[in-house]
Amino acid sequence: MNKQSVKDVDVKGKRVFCRVDFNVPMKDGQVTDETRIRAALPTIQYLTEQGAKVILASHLGRPKGQAVEELRLTPVAKRLSELLGKDVKKTDEAYGEAVKAEIETMNEGDVLLLENVRFYAGEEKNDPELAKSFAELADLYVNDAFGAAHRAHASTEGIAHHLPAVSGLLMEKELDVLGKALSDPERPFTAIIGGAKVKDKIGVIENLLEKVDNLIIGGGLAYTFVKSQGHEIGKSLLEEDKIDLAKSYIEKAKEKGVNFYMPVDVVVADDFGEQANTKVVAIEEIPADWEALDIGPKTREIYKDVIQNSKLVIWNGPMGVFELDKFAQGTKAVAQALADASDTYSVIGGGDSAAAVEKFDLADKMSHISTGGGASLEFMEGKALPGVVALNDK
Ligand SMILES: Nc1ncnc2c1ncn2[C@@H]1O[C@H](COP(=O)(O)OP(=O)(O)O)[C@@H](O)[C@H]1O
Ligand SMILES: O=C(OP(=O)(O)O)[C@H](O)COP(=O)(O)O
């Protein structure tokens, strides 16, 4: 990476404003998935070991510029403290005199967590005044929030204009792994794109066609492609205004010699839910009143073969509605194929794909699980990430 990292600068005795992505799922005031907290530990531990005063900042949820009680970071501070095995103080604000006074009392190696930065309207607007207020708290800025690197906000981008700014270790690792995968991919290189966000992901597909040998489409977004080939898709998910684009991508794949895989059979349901009647049908036989909610057994076999014969696979988005057991087989088959393909480097991006891999207990069999969904997609699309661009060059 051409950006300075925390290892390129002297941090001893310095007040370090470290932006992390602690946007973790919570239920009843408890953190329910601590993956992102664990992922930030190497940077936090490095900074404390080096004698920095570590001031952590994060967003949680989308409170829209005002304080929302359920979105305070207090439970995160508690969990972080347990994981670090040391006291983590938490302030009720993210800047200002009370926060400065608290920082005054910090010793080298201490860790402080600021309140949710999105409680302030200026955060998402990238307000320069708020960025300055954050910068006043510290001597150095470290951005370790890969999951929020695609956002140009006061704590991810603005602040970097007011302090020496370097990347954290997680940020560096994410960019290295994804960057290597895309710039000098081991071949055959396969991308698997699923999920439901057709609008978000269609741009990625175009960019990936320039790079991959195989492109596998599954999940809800597959049916816009299926429809573009003239098949009826019943009540399956459809993005009407993307049909022509989908068709053009299939043509582009042919021109480029990219193998383009779509479902050949699907699990259809007469209702959305565990109680639905289901059956497996060929792709050209989806009944008008039914909805395709998973890829079928023949498709699973084909996708499995492609995965097994690949050296590098990036996977974003589930193959079906995996949250319901009836429609989880396709996603499970892909996850299992990746787990079994020991010679294949597997990169998982996207909250739901990561959750699926966790659900099937296969997370430790994947080569890299990215902490950023939107961020990894934008990176793969070839877009610059504002939170990275703003950091000091090497
Ligand atoms: N065939 C389908 N029809 C409707 N929804 C689907 C289908 N396949 C997958 N999904 C849904 O897509 C959601 C995940 O999509 P998305 O947010 O795009 O993925 P990710 O978070 O991995 O990027 C899941 O909740 C899943 O239930
Ligand atoms: O969870 C996140 O995004 P992701 O679900 O795309 O990985 C990041 O914390 C960014 O959050 P945001 O999409 O509210 O800016």
Side-chain angles (χ1 to χ4, degrees), residues 296-328:
K298 282 190 187 137
T299 309
R300 280 174 229 154
E301 284 305 310
I302 296 169
Y303 289 8
K304 202 169 96 186
D305 274 354
V306 178
I307 291 166
Q308 270 165 356
N309 291 311
S310 299
K311 277 276 184 288
L312 169 66
V313 179
I314 55 177
W315 178 22
N316 187 302
M319 294 292 100
V321 181
F322 75 99
E323 298 91 336
L324 302 175
D325 286 342
K326 273 189 169 172
F327 312 110

Side-chain angles (χ1 to χ4, degrees), residues 194-198 201 218-221 223 236-237 272 291-294 316-323 349-354 373 377:
K197 299 178 190 160
V198 184
K201 296 186 184 184
L221 63 77
Y223 305 102
S236 311
L237 202 74
F272 191 98
E291 180 178 7
L293 293 179
D294 197 10
N316 187 302
M319 294 292 100
V321 181
F322 75 99
E323 298 91 336
D352 283 295
S353 325
L377 276 182

Side-chain angles (χ1 to χ4, degrees), residues 8-64:
D8 295 320
V9 289
D10 183 16
V11 300
K12 186 166 167 53
K14 292 203 175 137
R15 298 166 302 160
V16 177
F17 186 106
C18 182
R19 177 59 157 97
V20 288
D21 186 352
F22 285 167
N23 185 26
V24 290
M26 296 230 271
K27 204 170 175 217
D28 305 327
Q30 297 275 335
V31 175
T32 53
D33 177 13
E34 61 194 33
T35 311
R36 281 182 169 161
I37 306 178
R38 284 185 184 276
L41 292 179
T43 299
I44 300 169
Q45 276 159 341
Y46 175 81
L47 287 169
T48 57
E49 281 160 17
Q50 296 292 311
K53 298 170 185 173
V54 186
I55 305 155
L56 298 171
S58 176
H59 73 284
L60 175 63
R62 293 178 171 174
K64 301 204 170 80

